[in-house]
Amino acid sequence: GILVGTSLAMMLFVQKISTGHAEVVISHKGVISNRMPIRRFSPGHVKGGEVCVYRFSGSLTHINVQAHRKHIQQITDAKTIVLAFNAVSFLDCDGIDGIIDIVELMESKGMEVALAGIESELLQHTALYARKMEEHLVFASVTDALQVL
C-alpha cells in the first residue's frame, strides 16, 4: 500500500513539474500591455512589432524544457522575445541545451532573442551567452531589457 501510494505521488509530482510554468508579458514601446500565465496565452495576443517576455518559473530541466519549447513556439508575431530567468530556481545541463535549441528556433523564425535575469554560472559559460553579450542582448533585468528594446 505504501509503495503504491508513493509511486502515485511521484508520478503526479513529475506530471506537475513537466508542464513548464511560465508567464508571458507583452510590451509595446516599453509599456506593458498584457501579462498572463502561459496557460492563458494564445498567438493572437501578440501584435507585430511588440516585445514579448517569456518568464520561466521554477526549475528548467530535461523534464520540462520541451513543454517550454512548445509554449514559446506559439509566440509568432513578436519583433523580439526576451527569455527571463530571474524566477528560475534550478537549471541543469539539459535545461541549458533546451534553451540553446529554443533560441536557435526563434532566431530561425526571424525574431531577435534577448536574455534577462541570468544568475546561473552554467549558462554564463556557454557560447550562446557570449554571443548574446556581443550582440548587447543580455540584460540584468526584464525592466532593463524593455527600456532598451
Side-chain angles (χ1 to χ4, degrees):
I2 292 174
L3 186 56
V4 172
T6 303
S7 297
L8 286 173
M10 193 63 145
M11 288 179 3
L12 289 171
F13 173 72
V14 169
Q15 180 187 13
K16 184 172 176 76
I17 64 171
S18 68
T19 58
H21 298 283
E23 175 185 56
V24 175
V25 177
I26 301 166
S27 172
H28 187 73
K29 296 182 181 177
V31 177
I32 293 174
S33 60
N34 206 343
R35 176 185 307 245
M36 69 204 77
I38 191 62
R39 68 182 178 277
R40 288 191 30 235
F41 176 78
S42 69
H45 284 108
V46 180
K47 309 292 186 279
E50 292 181 316
V51 175
C52 189
V53 178
Y54 187 90
R55 187 185 314 265
F56 298 98
S57 181
S59 63
L60 190 53
T61 64
H62 171 74
I63 293 172
N64 63 12
V65 75
Q66 291 306 316
H68 286 295
R69 179 187 170 114
K70 181 180 162 192
H71 296 318
I72 291 171
Q73 282 180 297
Q74 295 179 49
I75 302 169
T76 55
D77 290 335
K79 167 187 81 154
T80 304
I81 182 167
V82 178
L83 301 179
F85 295 87
N86 53 316
V88 172
S89 58
F90 178 77
L91 179 65
D92 68 6
C93 292
D94 291 325
I96 290 172
D97 288 343
I99 293 301
I100 292 168
D101 290 343
I102 288 167
V103 169
E104 289 172 356
L105 172 72
M106 300 314 280
E107 288 176 338
S108 74
K109 293 180 176 186
M111 278 186 229
E112 181 177 63
V113 180
L115 310 175
I118 295 176
E119 295 179 11
S120 166
E121 287 187 24
L122 278 175
L123 192 52
Q124 291 174 351
H125 288 92
T126 63
L128 170 68
Y129 186 87
R131 179 171 62 88
K132 291 297 174 182
M133 284 293 287
E134 288 175 12
E135 295 171 358
H136 304 287
L137 290 173
V138 176
F139 301 92
S141 68
V142 171
T143 303
D144 293 345
L146 292 178
Q147 288 175 349
V148 172
L149 302 171

